[in-house]
Amino acid sequence: MIESIVIPMEHGLLLAAVLFSIGLLGVLVRRNIILILMSLEIMLNACGLAFVVVGAHWGQADGQIMFMLILSIAAAEVAVGLGLLLQAYRRFSSLDIDLANRMRG
Amino acid sequence: MNLDVYLLLPLISLSTVILTLMMLIAFCRNLSLTCAFSSIGLMVTLLLICAMAIDIQAAQTASLVDALVTPLIIVDAYALFFSGLMVFSSLCICLLSFNYHRARGEHQDEFYLLLLLATLGGVVLSQAAHFAMFILGLELLGVSIYAMISYPRAGRFSLEAALKYLILSGVSSAIILFGIALLYAAFGTLSFAEMAVLQRENSELDALYILAGSAMLLSGLAFKLSLAPFHMWTPDVYEGAPAPVTTLLATVSKGAIFAVLFRFFLSVDNYQYETILDGLFLLAVASIIFGNLLALTQSSIKRMLAYSSIAHLGYLLVAFIAADSVGGRALAIEASAIFLLAYFLTTIGAFGVVTVMSTEASDHDVDRLDEYEGLFWRRPMLATVFSVMLLSLAGIPLTAGFIGKFYIVVSGVDAELWSLLVIVVIGSGIGIFYYLRTIFAMTKRTMVTSVVHVPQTAGWTLAAVTLLLLVFGIYPTPVIEWVSRMAQAMT
């Protein structure tokens, strides 16, 4: 009986993939550093969702543990990112990433 | 002593040093003390790793062979070799950067804390046997490096470099994580060893998930290893980051990530998928060609070394691909370990010279080619060291670089990768041109009269690295013996 209401893993992974693509698109298209960091967060959380879905499919706790790891990693990454953003705003008086692009590559 | 605790000793000692240093900085800010403490801590860890490495080879038998500590960490000869390499290069960076930081004013102590944390990340990566540990090490390394790149507040390009690296490295981490989730969907486990068992015994695995997952994992890691066509960030970040951090990026970051990727591929045997092999082949060809061709046009030493490091990772991939044939696997492991050892020594030396040259320039690094003109007449020793490093990068005999490249070619021949070898030869040929161009620039007689002051700590470290490079180039037998036994044990 219960099996009939379980969401299949593929659906969950598809949702995660869509979220991931939205985040990736955001990073590529947006020029504001805050919005880029937000899109990055969406990508990382999409990965977290994928882990939870797969963990549920296998009936293991590993997926949720990885999700918690990802949460803390994303927090650390964004903390450093916001620190850099403050410095960038002070230096360039703008949050536009193109203004900060002065090297050739 | 409990075996688990014994095997964890390098991680324990490194973590203890980090925590103590944190306390030390909180109570007493003194750059000499901080640097001395971190160097001693790294030295102790290095000695521990060496002692364990000798121990493991001596006791080929029962107890140490099963090196899995908890399901997460594996401490075998391979892990010890790479951990030792990470700790050694971090020790060199620590000593080389002391005067560089002292000349840059106050609040430089935390740099050493970040350096040690990044090293811990590298050691964790080289000992990872589970994807949870892999992610932990990757981010420990990555997040410390973001902070280190933006460390100099007066730096012209450091902030820009840090932002670029943060965004691209964040994206590649996300791609890696999604790839791992797909692999988890296929295997139902996150441990390398269990995946390997499933791969061998169970033919009903979903190949689509494995392929997609491996491809995402590989492209994310190719970003971090700066393999072409994922190399766009490399020259900018190398140029913008302070020279000691560039050294770290080119050595510890790349070496650790390569070590864990290689371990994953070897244990799970991802080589059976043609698509992945083709992808690796294209990455190698693109890296060697683009790296060498773009290095030709650079007028900045740091950018030139950045492109040359892209090319060197391409050479390394040849050994990675050669591990495809089961018979040549031991040779391929041996080749990549020896190549990385030579690459580490050379890169530390080359960026070490840039660090020494930049000691007194407060807001940028001295890296324009014309600033090195006539260095032979102003600082003959420094110029000689730099020439030896460049010759080693070019792979001239009697230097470590030659041994490394020789091994790469041998493993390529063994696996019959003829087309790749042709590319390697062409790439090395182009490489010699721009390395020699730098050496010729240093021999020019010019009007530049600015005196370069070589600080003592950095000077002695550079001398030691050069000596090691030459010794390894002339008499590599002991190292090769150890490494080949390590490679035999891996297969």
Side-chain angles (χ1 to χ4, degrees):
Chain A
M1 267 297 113
I2 291 180
E3 263 140 55
S4 60
I5 51 168
V6 165
I7 302 169
M9 179 178 74
E10 286 72 23
H11 294 194
L13 277 181
L14 206 63
L15 174 65
V18 169
L19 277 176
F20 188 85
S21 322
I22 291 175
L24 187 61
L25 199 70
V27 172
L28 295 175
V29 171
R30 291 288 181 178
R31 299 271 60 104
N32 185 314
I33 305 177
I34 292 190
L35 290 173
I36 291 181
L37 285 179
M38 277 167 61
S39 310
L40 205 59
E41 197 82 344
I42 295 177
M43 287 176 80
L44 286 170
N45 283 328
C47 300
L49 178 65
F51 271 111
V52 171
V53 166
V54 178
H57 171 74
W58 293 109
Q60 295 169 348
D62 295 30
Q64 293 170 43
I65 293 169
M66 286 299 277
F67 177 62
M68 281 188 237
L69 252 179
I70 292 175
L71 273 190
S72 45
I73 284 165
E77 201 148 306
V78 166
V80 178
L82 288 177
L84 289 178
L85 182 143
L86 278 180
Q87 263 196 4
Y89 187 69
R90 230 177 266 161
R91 177 89 54 94
F92 310 116
S93 322
S94 153
L95 287 177
D96 192 335
I97 193 86
D98 288 330
L99 281 185
N101 191 5
R102 290 169 302 164
M103 281 186 283
R104 279 169 290 170
Chain B
M1 201 183 349
N2 188 336
L3 182 66
D4 278 4
V5 176
Y6 171 72
L7 288 175
L8 284 177
L9 269 180
L11 280 177
I12 294 174
S13 101
L14 206 53
S15 319
T16 319
V17 173
I18 289 171
L19 291 175
T20 325
L21 188 67
M22 218 182 274
M23 286 294 135
L24 192 70
I25 292 177
F27 290 107
C28 161
R29 296 183 76 89
N30 179 333
L31 192 61
S32 316
L33 185 65
T34 312
C35 179
F37 185 78
S38 5
S39 318
I40 292 171
L42 286 170
M43 242 180 265
V44 170
T45 315
L46 187 59
L47 286 179
L48 270 175
I49 292 175
C50 289
M52 286 170 69
I54 294 167
D55 226 29
I56 278 191
Q57 293 257 292
Q60 280 273 324
T61 49
S63 60
L64 284 173
V65 171
D66 191 19
L68 213 57
V69 191
T70 74
L72 299 177
I73 296 177
I74 183 164
V75 188
D76 52 1
Y78 179 87
L80 283 176
F81 177 82
F82 283 100
S83 319
L85 217 52
M86 304 304 139
V87 175
F88 169 76
S89 52
S90 162
L91 176 65
C92 292
I93 295 168
C94 203
L95 293 171
L96 279 169
S97 68
F98 171 59
N99 301 89
Y100 182 91
H101 281 111
R102 198 165 59 176
R104 275 163 179 68
E106 289 179 359
H107 304 300
Q108 303 287 334
D109 305 70
E110 281 84 358
F111 180 86
Y112 290 96
L113 198 56
L114 291 167
L115 177 65
L116 288 175
L117 279 169
T119 317
L120 183 67
V123 174
V124 165
L125 271 181
S126 47
Q127 302 186 349
H130 190 280
F131 272 118
M133 216 56 193
F134 170 89
I135 288 299
L136 211 58
L138 199 67
E139 292 300 312
L140 201 51
L141 187 65
V143 175
S144 329
I145 286 180
Y146 310 147
M148 284 164 92
I149 294 176
S150 64
Y151 207 84
R153 267 188 296 174
R156 251 187 256 166
F157 293 127
S158 52
L159 187 58
E160 181 187 337
L163 275 173
K164 279 185 179 168
Y165 189 65
L166 174 86
I167 292 166
L168 286 177
S169 169
V171 171
S172 68
S173 292
I175 294 176
I176 292 169
L177 278 168
F178 207 91
I180 296 174
L182 291 179
L183 287 173
Y184 185 36
F187 287 105
T189 170
L190 286 166
S191 137
F192 295 176
E194 286 171 24
M195 282 186 180
V197 172
L198 284 173
Q199 181 87 289
R200 238 180 289 128
E201 293 171 356
N202 189 350
S203 53
E204 287 164 26
L205 292 168
D206 197 336
L208 181 69
Y209 280 135
I210 300 182
L211 269 183
S214 305
M216 288 185 89
L217 184 74
L218 200 62
S219 53
L221 288 175
F223 249 115
K224 305 221 169 197
L225 290 171
S226 69
L227 292 163
F230 303 102
H231 67 287
M232 301 316 230
W233 57 275
T234 319
D236 281 2
V237 173
Y238 275 39
E239 190 186 5
V245 184
T246 316
T247 326
L248 189 81
L249 265 173
T251 56
V252 172
S253 163
K254 289 190 181 178
I257 289 169
F258 179 82
V260 72
L261 181 66
F262 203 20
R263 186 199 284 286
F264 172 69
F265 263 68
L266 286 172
S267 53
V268 179
D269 195 20
N270 256 335
Y271 290 105
Q272 54 180 302
Y273 300 104
E274 280 295 321
T275 333
I276 293 179
L277 276 179
D278 290 345
L280 282 170
F281 180 83
L282 288 180
L283 280 178
V285 172
S287 303
I288 296 173
I289 299 284
F290 281 123
N292 279 313
L293 282 182
L294 290 172
L296 281 178
T297 60
Q298 302 304 319
S299 60
S300 149
I301 301 273
K302 269 164 126 187
R303 290 179 86 91
M304 182 199 88
L305 289 174
Y307 282 114
S308 117
S309 89
I310 295 173
H312 273 80
L313 262 291
Y315 301 145
L316 187 55
L317 266 194
V318 176
F320 193 101
I321 297 171
D324 163 36
S325 61
V326 180
R329 197 156 283 180
L331 182 64
I333 298 172
E334 194 179 337
S336 48
I338 292 201
F339 181 82
L340 266 178
L341 176 64
Y343 169 77
F344 267 49
L345 281 174
T346 316
T347 312
I348 291 169
F351 282 113
V353 172
V354 178
T355 311
V356 168
M357 291 285 289
S358 316
T359 303
E360 279 167 11
S362 60
D363 73 331
H364 67 290
D365 281 340
V366 175
D367 66 345
R368 290 205 321 276
L369 189 58
D370 53 17
E371 285 169 310
Y372 285 74
E373 278 180 3
L375 194 65
F376 263 111
W377 313 106
R378 288 180 284 156
R379 274 284 164 189
M381 285 305 281
L382 194 61
T384 312
V385 168
F386 200 29
S387 312
V388 171
M389 296 304 159
L390 289 170
L391 290 177
S392 171
L393 280 175
I396 306 292
L398 293 190
T399 59
F402 170 72
I403 310 275
K405 207 169 270 180
F406 180 74
Y407 259 95
I408 293 291
V409 172
V410 169
S411 76
V413 169
D414 192 62
E416 298 180 350
L417 301 167
W418 305 117
S419 46
L420 262 182
L421 285 177
V422 170
I423 304 280
V424 169
V425 170
I426 294 173
S428 310
I430 303 172
I432 288 176
F433 173 74
Y434 57 84
Y435 296 128
L436 286 185
R437 188 182 59 182
T438 316
I439 295 178
F440 284 139
M442 288 195 294
T443 58
K444 246 186 230 167
R445 281 192 183 278
T446 52
M447 297 294 111
V448 187
T449 50
S450 64
V451 183
V452 183
H453 173 71
V454 180
Q456 261 194 341
T457 330
W460 283 111
T461 317
L462 265 185
V465 171
T466 317
L467 195 68
L468 273 179
L469 187 90
L470 290 174
V471 167
F472 182 57
I474 294 165
Y475 183 61
T477 326
V479 182
I480 287 179
E481 271 174 13
W482 195 92
V483 170
S484 71
R485 256 183 286 165
M486 170 197 95
Q488 296 295 340
M490 276 288 282
T491 45

